Amino acid sequence: MASDSKDNGSLQAVEIIERTTNLDIELTAEERQQERMRKWKINSTILPLLITIYFVAQMGRSDLGNAKVAGMDEDLDLSPKEYSNVASIFYVGYLVFQLPGVLLVRKTGPPYLFGSAMIIWGTITTCTVVIHNYASLMVIRVLVGASEAFVSGAVFYLSFWYPYDELATRGAIYFSMAALAGAFNGLIAYAVTQNLAHANEWPHGAGSF
C-alpha cells in the first residue's frame, strides 16, 4: 500500500510539472495582444541595443589588422613575432574575464554592467592612439580584451526575455553582426587611411596656433 501511494504521488507530481511547463497554453485574445506588445517592445529596445554593442565590439577586434595595413608595425617598429603577440594577448584578457563578466549580469544588473563596460572599453580603445612602443600596445590590448569580456553575457541576458524556441533566432541575429562589422570596418579603415593619413602632422616650417 505504501508503495502504491508513493507511485501515485510521483505520478501526480509529474502531471503538475507537465501542466506548468506546457508551452501550448491557450491564451485569451487579450492575453495574446499583451504578449505581442511586450514582445514588440523587447524586439525594438533590448535586442537593438545588444546587437549594437556586439557590432561595435566586433569592429574593435579587427582594428589591429587594419592598423597594420596602414603601417602601424612600421611606426612602432614591430617585428612579426611582436605583432603576433599583440594580436594574441587580446584573448588573454578576454578569456580571463569572460566568466566573471557573465556572472555579473545577475549580480550588478545588465544596464550597469553593459553601460560601464562600454564606457571603459571606449576609453581604453581611444588610448590606443597615444601609444609609442610595443609594451604599451600589449597593455592596451589586454585591457581592451578584459573590458570587452564584460559584454559577452549579452546572449545570456537575452535568455531572460525570450523562450527557448525564440532565443535561437535572436541569437542568430546577434551573432550575424560579426560579419556585418567586418565589412563596415574595412570600408571605414580604407577611408581613414586614404583621407586622414598624416593629417595630424604639421608641414615643414609651418607655425602653430
Side-chain angles (χ1 to χ4, degrees):
M1 295 295 295
S3 176
D4 292 341
S5 62
K6 183 177 180 180
D7 292 339
N8 291 333
S10 300
L11 291 174
Q12 291 176 358
V14 170
E15 291 174 357
I16 293 173
I17 293 173
E18 289 178 346
R19 287 197 300 270
T20 57
T21 57
N22 184 17
L23 298 177
D24 298 326
I25 299 175
E26 292 295 333
L27 301 177
T28 64
E30 182 179 358
E31 290 173 339
R32 291 187 181 279
Q33 180 65 21
Q34 293 176 353
E35 182 184 10
R36 284 194 294 268
M37 291 179 62
R38 286 193 296 267
K39 191 176 297 183
W40 182 86
K41 289 181 179 179
I42 296 171
N43 289 335
S44 60
T45 53
I46 295 176
L47 185 60
L49 286 173
L50 292 181
I51 64 177
T52 301
I53 291 174
Y54 190 67
F55 177 82
V56 175
Q58 288 298 313
M59 289 188 69
R61 289 192 185 187
S62 55
D63 282 344
L64 190 67
N66 293 324
K68 184 180 187 299
V69 173
M72 179 194 68
D73 52 343
E74 298 176 0
D75 293 339
L76 298 180
D77 194 24
L78 297 178
S79 66
K81 180 180 179 180
E82 289 175 336
Y83 175 79
S84 179
N85 292 338
V86 170
S88 301
I89 200 67
F90 166 88
Y91 293 99
V92 174
Y94 187 82
L95 293 175
V96 168
F97 289 94
Q98 187 176 30
L99 180 59
V102 174
L103 296 179
L104 284 175
V105 172
R106 282 188 176 275
K107 190 69 174 179
T108 63
Y112 297 105
L113 178 64
F114 296 152
S116 301
M118 289 305 296
I119 292 173
I120 296 172
W121 176 86
T123 302
I124 296 173
T125 303
T126 304
C127 292
T128 306
V129 301
V130 301
I131 61 175
H132 297 289
N133 53 57
Y134 167 68
S136 58
L137 182 59
M138 288 283 285
V139 173
I140 287 292
R141 292 300 295 176
V142 172
L143 295 178
V144 169
S147 58
E148 189 175 320
F150 285 94
V151 298
S152 61
V155 176
F156 175 58
Y157 180 52
L158 284 177
S159 67
F160 296 173
W161 300 94
Y162 295 104
Y164 291 126
D165 58 333
E166 297 180 1
L167 182 60
T169 303
R170 273 66 180 187
I173 296 173
Y174 177 83
F175 286 112
S176 67
M177 291 297 105
L180 191 62
F184 276 97
N185 201 20
L187 296 174
I188 294 173
Y190 175 79
V192 170
T193 304
Q194 293 297 315
N195 300 308
L196 297 179
H198 310 293
N200 63 336
E201 296 179 0
W202 289 99
H204 182 69
S208 58
F209 291 109

